């Protein structure tokens, strides 16, 4: 089995027209639906317990890039992720830790249990 990895997706899309904003939102929603969490504006991360999962993930990420959009996909080991420098204001903050287990649950189940939507997810309807 391949080692676990953090998959970092960074993108820049034009958002001048309504159609461009719709495409950018569709890509963002695809990332959320694929299990990514927002780290910063236009930067999303997902933890894969097995790096071979990239084989199925990368074509989906590539296939939905808008014509005038730019996407970068970076693969990081646990050690590389843990070695990052992260600041909130002038204060250093520890990077997110590796998830201890995977839990598959829908937004409806989260709401029914009175839980919070995971980091980066937003409530609302999806088309």
């Amino acid at each position: 089995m391949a080692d676990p990895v953090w998959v970092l997706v960074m993108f820049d899309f034009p958002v001048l027209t309504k159609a461009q904003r719709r495409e950018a939102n569709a890509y963002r929603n695809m990332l959320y639906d694929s299990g990514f969490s927002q780290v910063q504006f236009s930067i999303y991360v997902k933890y894969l317990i097995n790096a071979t999962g990239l084989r199925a993930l990368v074509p989906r990420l590539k296939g939905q890039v808008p014509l005038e959009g730019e996407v970068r996909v970076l693969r990081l080991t646990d050690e590389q992720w843990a070695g990052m420098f992260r600041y909130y204001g002038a204060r250093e903050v520890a990077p997110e830790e590796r998830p201890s287990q995977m839990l598959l649950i829908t937004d409806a189940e989260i709401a029914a249990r009175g839980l919070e939507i995971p980091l980066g997810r937003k409530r609302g309807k999806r088309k």
Side-chain angles (χ1 to χ4, degrees):
M1 180 163 84
D3 291 333
V5 296
W6 292 86
V7 181
L8 199 66
V9 175
M10 302 166 279
F11 62 89
D12 284 317
F13 297 155
V15 290
L16 300 175
T17 68
K18 188 174 185 176
Q20 289 172 332
R21 286 189 294 277
R22 191 173 21 256
E23 285 182 320
N25 286 331
Y27 196 84
R28 196 172 290 112
N29 286 334
M30 179 273 300
L31 290 173
Y32 286 136
D33 292 341
S34 298
F36 282 84
S37 297
Q38 186 178 30
V39 178
Q40 290 183 221
F41 291 122
S42 299
I43 302 176
Y44 291 75
V45 68
K46 178 177 182 168
Y47 184 76
L48 296 175
I49 59 170
N50 187 330
T52 57
L54 283 168
R55 288 187 201 136
L57 186 60
V58 170
R60 184 171 46 221
L61 296 172
K62 178 183 175 185
Q64 295 192 35
V65 177
L67 254 143
E68 299 173 359
E70 179 181 359
V71 173
R72 294 173 189 236
V73 179
L74 182 63
R75 184 177 82 177
L76 302 167
T77 65
D78 278 337
E79 185 178 344
Q80 290 168 323
W81 182 262
M84 83 164 78
F85 299 99
R86 180 178 172 204
Y87 300 95
Y88 186 80
R91 182 174 53 93
E92 188 166 356
V93 180
E96 294 86 347
E97 292 187 19
R98 173 177 40 172
S100 59
Q101 64 183 6
M102 294 188 68
L103 176 64
L104 301 176
I105 186 169
T106 67
D107 287 353
E109 291 171 313
I110 291 170
R113 295 177 187 194
L115 303 172
E116 291 292 318
I117 301 285
L119 173 69
R121 292 295 303 261
K122 295 184 181 178
R123 295 181 192 266
K125 294 183 180 179
R126 296 241 171 94
K127 294 181 181 179

